[in-house]
Amino acid sequence: MGRAFEYRKATKMKRWGHMARIFTKLGKQIEIAVKAGGPEPENNPTLRAIIATCKRENMPKDNIDRAIKNAMGKDTSNYDDVTYEGYGPHGVAVFVETLTDNTTRTVGDVRSVFNKYNGNLGTQGSLNYLFDHKCVFTFKKKEGLEMDELILELIDFNVDDEYDVDDEEDEITIYGAPTSFGDIQKYLEDNGYEITSAEFTRIPNDLHDVTPEQRETIDKMVEKLEEFDDVQNVYTNMKPE
């Protein structure tokens, strides 16, 4: 398995936190997608992709339907994607993605956690070089699938040569440029692939070794950041166990 797959697998639950917080964050993403493209998944590719991820995270259908319905009566036009970057304890890089309608509140919350754990919040973009930003699609294998041919078909969409095969789930995971998300999704759907997850992620390109005691402190910092509803994802370059 590739570097990206192993990192995502090892850190998935730490990034998302508890189930209730997962559903809150996904619900907010649904609301934004509905406002941008309408409530019908068949006519809204972004919403389709988020619903696929919801199902993979075992979000109940009632929750999904309720989030779509709520979006119809809520003003989500003021939400902004804002990232916060800095160093936590023991020299570990921390990258925080948020979706917020109040940046003053959000930066105050994030800064308070960095301060509590003796971290240093830097300027936006200061840690971009430490993380590769990717879109990630996971889909069911098709009989007779030749991955080399599929990757060649997707080369114009900046899909990576590296891909991962999960024999246990009978799934393939591919990685591409974030700007190619819509094109990749359309290709997979048009060619009959069942997408089970579609998301964006940040994969560290330089992993930082830590001791078990240091890992415990950093995990606590990540968990504290994830408690805020505005926080969507938290990434670090801490080497997985």
Side-chain angles (χ1 to χ4, degrees):
M1 301 245 175
R3 168 180 65 93
F5 181 85
E6 290 298 337
Y7 175 79
R8 289 175 64 244
K9 182 179 179 181
T11 59
K12 185 175 181 60
M13 292 312 298
K14 290 177 183 176
R15 286 195 296 114
W16 278 113
H18 298 297
M19 296 300 291
R21 292 204 295 271
I22 296 175
F23 298 161
T24 298
K25 297 172 194 299
L26 288 172
K28 185 180 288 188
Q29 293 176 25
I30 288 174
E31 292 174 2
I32 300 298
V34 168
K35 281 296 184 183
E40 302 298 333
E42 59 268 26
N43 299 321
N44 187 337
T46 301
L47 180 59
R48 283 201 304 276
I50 295 171
I51 289 175
T53 300
C54 289
K55 291 178 178 178
R56 189 178 185 87
E57 297 293 342
N58 298 313
M59 186 173 180
K61 185 177 183 300
D62 287 348
N63 292 46
I64 297 172
D65 292 341
R66 185 163 53 250
I68 292 173
K69 183 178 180 180
N70 289 343
M72 300 306 295
K74 183 181 291 187
D75 181 11
T76 59
S77 60
N78 293 325
Y79 279 112
D80 293 311
D81 292 300
V82 184
T83 63
Y84 300 95
E85 304 147 53
Y87 285 92
H90 315 298
V92 170
V94 181
F95 201 112
V96 185
E97 293 179 339
T98 71
L99 190 58
T100 178
D101 59 353
N102 186 326
T103 55
T104 300
R105 176 191 66 225
T106 305
V107 70
D109 290 340
V110 172
R111 181 178 286 116
S112 70
V113 176
F114 272 81
N115 290 342
K116 179 178 180 180
Y117 288 90
N118 297 316
N120 180 27
L121 190 61
T123 58
Q124 191 174 39
S126 61
L127 297 187
N128 275 341
Y129 73 98
L130 283 178
F131 294 86
D132 295 327
H133 194 197
K134 300 287 183 181
C135 66
V136 186
F137 286 88
T138 299
F139 53 91
K140 291 293 184 181
K141 291 184 194 176
K142 287 172 61 175
E143 187 174 349
L145 172 64
E146 293 290 340
M147 280 305 300
D148 289 343
E149 293 181 8
L150 177 61
I151 295 298
L152 187 61
E153 287 285 332
L154 293 170
I155 195 169
D156 289 339
F157 304 144
N158 297 311
V159 169
D160 295 352
D161 290 338
E162 178 187 280
Y163 59 87
D164 297 296
V165 180
D166 188 335
D167 292 322
E168 185 176 330
E169 297 292 336
D170 202 34
E171 293 178 336
I172 304 289
T173 298
I174 60 174
Y175 307 84
T179 53
S180 297
F181 185 95
D183 290 331
I184 297 170
Q185 180 185 359
K186 185 176 187 304
Y187 177 92
L188 293 174
E189 290 180 341
D190 288 350
N191 287 275
Y193 290 96
E194 179 188 349
I195 298 173
T196 57
S197 179
E199 62 180 340
F200 295 94
T201 193
R202 295 180 190 271
I203 301 164
N205 53 51
D206 183 22
L207 294 174
H208 191 83
D209 279 313
V210 293
T211 67
E213 293 77 15
Q214 291 171 340
R215 180 182 303 280
E216 183 176 354
T217 300
I218 297 159
D219 282 345
K220 287 180 179 178
M221 179 183 180
V222 171
E223 290 171 5
K224 195 68 178 175
L225 285 166
E226 288 174 336
E227 290 179 2
F228 299 121
D229 288 344
D230 293 340
V231 173
Q232 295 294 296
N233 292 296
V234 182
Y235 304 97
T236 78
N237 70 337
M238 179 171 62
K239 189 174 183 178
E241 292 179 287

